[in-house]
Amino acid sequence: MKRALLFAMLSCIATTADAGQDCRSEILAPHRQAEAAAQALAVVERLEAMDAPIALVARVGTDLSKHGLRYSHVGFVVRDADDGRWTVIHLLNTCGTDRSALYAEGLVDYYADARVALDTAIVWLDAALADELARVLRDHAAARLHDADYNVIAHPRSDRYQNSTAWVLETLALAMQPGAPPDRRILQAWVEARGHRPTRLHIPYSKRIAGGLFSANAHFTDHPLSARLSGEYEVVTVDSILDWLERGDRVVHREDLQRPGPATR
Amino acid sequence: MRMRWWMMLVLAAAPALQAADPSAASRASVQASAQIVDGSAALVGAGSELTLAAVEIVGESAHLVLKGAQGSVTVSLRVSADTARVLAASVGVVVETVATTAGHLLIIGGESVAFLLSPEAAAHRHHRNWP
């Protein structure tokens, strides 16, 4: 009887975990389009006021407030790239599946995809790091760090999976070491040795089982068993990246632009 | 109570979550604005006197022909089923335009049905795979 129950439960997991989520096309309400575009222009104004080729831009795509976090996603915004005056280069999960891709997009598109709020942080880096970052993006060395196997909760030392924040952290590490090979394992070890501290998220059993047992984009298997049993997971977050950069004196200026978004009305 | 071996297996196998999304992630395709496909953008300004002269809806796409004293303009946009119903019943109705920081909202019967980006904002609309 027990074996039959176990078989039934595991079969259920295997079937639905492969299914992924629908890639639904969302039609934004006109007022949301207007707000996203207004936030994009506000960011452009700040970017134009600074003499820098690149900055980090963080947004609120997911509500992480229960973990004490505000920003869930970050990308590089590059001046005068191929597509326009300002272009955001970042990694996005493909519609809730276990795959990801890198994108270059304008700031209007970037903020149109901010699901929770339009609040944003713009972070400018010291000139040497900014120049090197612009170079590793221009010559596509950063693209060689991309691993399309996506895991929303990827372990910071995972060489099997990657999420959007991990790609940003590894790209920063590549830019900090001119001439270093674009090798994820080496870069991950380097940032850890240089004091990057991943965020520890507590996800209790009840939430995990009720909330996400069947998520195609969540693979806990690259976390140690002790983490799975305790519910304490280490991940690279926007906060952990910015904290690391600030402690290393690599941030020259930061601005947070608050603007209510869809979830706040 | 002791945890049975099969309970441990199920709990460890359960990858879990939704509880954490440290990286944003899911992207559905978003429609960031309506577009003028024919006519002059200058016709659509705050306070313009416009009438919805014709509506064509195919699936989630709509083409609106707006007529003013100086001519007409055709706007293409994606619409929800609800908005499509409002538009289909609104031919001949006055369209209000409201200026915002980054463009104009088109309003019919008190409901905003479309947002037209200003040229300045439209320059920041692009999206492609990289590199």
Side-chain angles (χ1 to χ4, degrees):
Chain A
M1 176 63 189
K2 280 178 198 161
R3 283 172 196 274
L5 178 61
L6 172 64
F7 178 77
M9 291 176 82
L10 292 179
S11 298
C12 182
I13 292 167
T15 304
T16 49
D18 289 339
Q21 297 171 2
D22 290 341
C23 187
R24 293 190 190 90
S25 178
E26 181 185 355
I27 299 172
L28 288 182
H31 69 271
R32 279 184 59 192
Q33 298 171 24
E35 289 168 355
Q39 182 70 323
L41 290 185
V43 171
V44 167
E45 186 183 328
R46 303 302 199 284
L47 292 169
E48 293 290 353
M50 299 288 282
D51 183 22
I54 195 167
L56 292 168
V57 278
R59 74 179 180 197
V60 189
T62 302
D63 183 3
L64 297 180
S65 58
K66 57 182 165 292
H67 298 291
L69 303 172
R70 182 58 175 153
Y71 300 109
S72 64
H73 183 77
V74 64
F76 302 105
V77 60
V78 184
R79 185 192 291 264
D80 293 329
D82 296 339
D83 304 81
R85 176 65 168 164
W86 294 101
T87 299
V88 182
I89 297 175
H90 61 144
L91 182 153
L92 290 169
N93 179 210
T94 306
C95 304
T97 68
D98 58 357
R99 306 294 289 170
S100 72
L102 296 173
Y103 292 91
E105 64 182 2
L107 284 159
V108 168
D109 300 71
Y110 188 69
Y111 290 105
D113 211 12
R115 307 293 180 85
V116 177
L118 289 167
D119 296 355
T120 195
I122 315 170
V123 178
W124 288 269
L125 305 166
D126 67 67
L129 178 53
D131 288 345
E132 280 301 316
L133 261 180
R135 184 187 61 75
V136 300
L137 291 166
R138 196 169 50 243
D139 69 14
H140 301 162
R144 293 198 285 279
L145 294 174
H146 176 230
D147 185 335
D149 290 323
Y150 182 85
N151 180 8
V152 69
I153 193 93
H155 189 274
R157 294 289 294 270
S158 176
D159 61 354
R160 190 173 166 199
Y161 298 110
Q162 189 178 54
N163 60 20
S164 62
T165 43
W167 178 75
V168 166
L169 179 64
E170 291 161 20
T171 298
L172 284 163
L174 184 66
M176 288 177 185
Q177 307 171 80
D183 182 310
R184 293 191 62 212
R185 295 188 80 152
I186 292 172
L187 295 170
Q188 289 168 353
W190 188 84
V191 298
E192 185 177 294
R194 297 298 185 286
H196 173 259
R197 293 193 290 256
T199 302
R200 184 166 290 192
L201 301 179
H202 180 70
I203 306 160
Y205 278 139
S206 55
K207 289 276 174 61
R208 282 180 282 159
I209 291 173
L213 182 59
F214 308 127
S215 297
N217 65 1
H219 305 281
F220 275 63
T221 48
D222 66 346
H223 287 263
L225 182 61
S226 58
R228 279 180 271 168
L229 292 174
S230 67
E232 299 284 341
Y233 296 93
E234 291 192 334
V235 292
V236 179
T237 62
V238 176
D239 279 38
S240 76
I241 294 171
L242 298 185
D243 172 66
W244 180 60
L245 291 170
E246 282 166 7
R247 281 187 286 111
D249 288 330
R250 307 309 301 254
V251 174
V252 295
H253 188 56
R254 169 175 172 162
E255 287 190 36
D256 290 76
L257 306 183
Q258 310 296 314
R259 187 182 288 269
T264 56
R265 43 184 74 246
Chain B
M1 191 182 83
R2 275 178 48 207
M3 197 175 270
R4 304 280 186 184
W5 67 268
W6 58 268
M7 291 172 72
M8 290 285 287
L9 179 58
V10 169
L11 290 174
L17 105 141
Q18 214 150 42
D21 180 352
S23 60
S26 294
R27 177 183 177 90
S29 61
V30 292
Q31 171 70 19
S33 63
Q35 292 185 322
I36 291 177
V37 293
D38 189 34
S40 169
L43 281 176
V44 183
S48 298
E49 290 282 326
L50 297 170
T51 302
L52 183 60
V55 177
E56 181 189 12
I57 294 169
V58 180
E60 287 189 339
S61 296
H63 280 73
L64 315 182
V65 179
L66 310 176
K67 275 200 174 157
Q70 308 298 316
S72 66
V73 62
T74 303
V75 174
S76 172
L77 68 157
R78 284 180 62 212
V79 289
S80 66
D82 286 347
T83 303
R85 276 191 289 276
V86 170
L87 291 172
S90 302
V91 175
V93 167
V94 170
V95 180
E96 285 180 73
T97 59
V98 175
T100 72
T101 308
H104 289 90
L105 283 165
L106 304 185
I107 296 173
I108 294 176
E111 183 179 341
S112 58
V113 295
F115 176 64
L116 282 165
L117 284 171
S118 66
E120 183 194 6
H124 299 286
R125 253 213 87 187
H126 48 91
H127 176 84
R128 69 174 173 88
N129 280 87
W130 184 83

